[in-house]
């Protein structure tokens, strides 16, 4: 159902783009706007991994600098039948993670120091499995396609008055409405696609790690911490929020129209239902609390 819903939403985005071109009436102008938007998004897609990792000051790690994290990624990549992605760590107290890259051969998984410090090994493994599911599903490609259409629609809306400015039959109120509503509709479809991909990544990620409840526990903890711990880099770059396993911003607590993520409680409920169908009831092993009172994961 996740793939069907994504296909329907992307078809809606395509239809919206075509409708915009028809309403403007200038096929040449629509074609130019689409080519420019496609070129911009193609460049962003080709360089997305480097740009996003640099944006969040992610540093590469390997078997020497982060052996247990590297081992988790390697084992789960084998389970997912994927080439091992590059592994990065983000210096952020907020537990979170994201995947990036244009395809499985050019992918990276980034986790925050807060994730490794506050979650157990099982929960970290489940989060990594979720991100590998995004890579396996080519979700970065899907989101790039929707971003291309959203960008093209926004450009068409901005050019609408220019294309039709010499047409006295054009209704200025209709033009203004189109300039406002069309990009908003495109953004809503783009966010809906993002939410749909999160549900699918939860399901496949649970299959990769073999324990849906590990991921359910991880999501609950990340949501709790993310609600009270700022991610300053994400706040400065809100356009990257959809990439994280849990929204790193503090604006969306539930399934809202403008949210890039489904409600965490809905995701947990779906994972618990999946675990029940697999005959599993045990929760993830808790992290061992050291004598200092903090609660790091298995890396400290």
């Amino acid at each position: 159902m996740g793939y069907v819903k994504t296909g329907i939403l992307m078809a809606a985005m395509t239809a919206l783009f075509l409708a915009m071109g028809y309403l403007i009436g200038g096929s040449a102008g629509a074609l130019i706007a689409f080519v420019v938007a496609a070129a911009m998004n193609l460049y962003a897609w080709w360089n997305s991994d480097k740009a996003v990792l640099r944006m969040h000051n992610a540093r590469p790690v390997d078997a020497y600098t982060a052996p247990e994290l590297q081992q988790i990624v390697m084992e789960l990549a084998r389970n997912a039948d994927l080439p091992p992605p590059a592994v990065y760590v983000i210096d952020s107290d907020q537990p979170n993670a994201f995947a990036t890259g244009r395809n499985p051969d050019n992918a990276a998984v980034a986790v925050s120091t807060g994730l490794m410090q506050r979650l157990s090994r099982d929960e970290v493994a489940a989060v990594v499995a979720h991100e590998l599911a995004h890579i396996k599903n080519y979700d970065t490609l899907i989101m790039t396609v929707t971003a291309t259409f959203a960008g093209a629609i926004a450009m068409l809306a901005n050019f609408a008055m220019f294309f039709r400015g010499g047409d006295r039959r054009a209704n200025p109120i209709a033009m203004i409405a189109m300039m406002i509503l069309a990009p908003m509709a495109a953004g809503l479809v783009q966010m809906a696609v993002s939410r749909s991909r999160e549900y699918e990544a939860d399901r496949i990620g649970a299959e990769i790690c073999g324990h849906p409840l590990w991921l359910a526990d991880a999501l609950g903890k990340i949501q709790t911490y993310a609600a009270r711990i700022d991610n300053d880099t994400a706040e400065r770059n809100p356009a990257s929020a959809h990439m994280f396993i849990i929204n790193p911003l503090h604006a969306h607590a539930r399934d809202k129209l403008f949210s890039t993520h489904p409600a965490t409680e809905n995701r947990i409920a779906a994972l618990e239902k999946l675990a029940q169908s697999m005959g599993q009831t045990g929760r993830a092993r808790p992290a061992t609390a050291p004598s200092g009172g903090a609660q790091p994961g298995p890396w400290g």
Side-chain angles (χ1 to χ4, degrees):
M1 288 301 296
Y3 291 111
V4 172
K5 183 178 179 180
T6 299
I8 292 173
L9 290 170
M10 293 180 68
M13 184 81 81
T14 304
L16 181 60
F17 172 76
L18 296 177
M20 280 287 295
Y22 176 80
L23 290 174
I24 291 174
S27 58
L31 179 60
I32 292 172
F34 176 74
V35 170
V36 171
M40 291 171 59
N41 282 280
L42 178 62
Y43 175 81
W45 173 70
W46 188 264
N47 295 278
S48 62
D49 52 347
K50 301 180 184 66
V52 173
L53 292 167
R54 185 167 55 249
M55 179 189 303
H56 290 276
N57 300 314
R59 51 184 171 85
V61 295
D62 54 28
Y64 296 100
T65 54
E68 192 159 9
L69 177 61
Q70 185 75 20
Q71 181 184 12
I72 288 174
V73 174
M74 295 285 289
E75 290 176 355
L76 291 172
R78 284 196 296 269
N79 291 350
D81 195 24
L82 288 171
V87 183
Y88 287 78
V89 169
I90 304 168
D91 291 318
S92 172
D93 191 38
Q94 182 190 90
N96 227 317
F98 66 81
T100 185
R102 59 185 181 272
N103 55 43
D105 292 318
N106 297 274
V109 171
V111 303
S112 71
T113 52
L115 187 85
M116 296 188 294
Q117 291 169 354
R118 298 178 183 276
L119 271 64
S120 71
R121 188 185 192 281
D122 291 343
E123 292 161 349
V124 171
V127 169
V128 170
H130 170 98
E131 300 306 332
L132 291 176
H134 278 309
I135 296 171
K136 189 178 183 70
N137 292 343
Y138 284 81
D139 286 340
T140 51
L141 174 61
I142 291 173
M143 292 309 300
T144 298
V145 171
T146 57
T148 300
F149 279 110
I153 290 168
M155 292 185 69
L156 288 178
N158 290 333
F159 293 157
M161 295 300 290
F162 174 77
F163 288 149
R164 296 295 296 270
D167 189 349
R168 295 183 178 179
R169 295 172 298 175
N171 186 329
I173 296 178
M175 284 283 110
I176 293 173
M178 180 176 66
M179 292 172 63
I180 296 173
L181 296 179
M184 184 180 296
L188 292 177
V189 174
Q190 188 179 4
M191 292 174 187
V193 171
S194 177
R195 293 196 296 270
S196 176
R197 301 319 304 159
E198 288 301 320
Y199 279 121
E200 192 68 13
D202 284 346
R203 183 183 68 81
I204 295 180
E207 294 175 354
I208 291 172
C209 73
H211 295 273
L213 294 179
W214 291 1
L215 183 54
D217 289 343
L219 291 176
K221 286 186 179 181
I222 296 172
Q223 178 63 53
T224 298
Y225 285 119
R228 68 172 190 259
I229 300 175
D230 289 334
N231 185 327
D232 294 333
T233 304
E235 296 287 350
R236 291 194 299 269
N237 301 279
S240 65
H242 71 280
M243 299 179 60
F244 287 83
I245 188 170
I246 291 289
N247 194 333
L249 312 178
H250 294 168
H252 308 297
R254 298 184 301 274
D255 259 343
K256 296 181 180 178
L257 191 60
F258 292 95
S259 177
T260 58
H261 290 68
T264 302
E265 56 266 28
N266 292 345
R267 297 169 68 182
I268 292 174
L271 288 165
E272 289 175 341
K273 184 176 181 180
L274 177 60
Q276 187 177 17
S277 70
M278 296 170 62
Q280 297 180 8
T281 57
R283 313 301 290 192
R285 293 189 300 271
T288 301
S291 58
Q295 196 176 28
W299 339 101

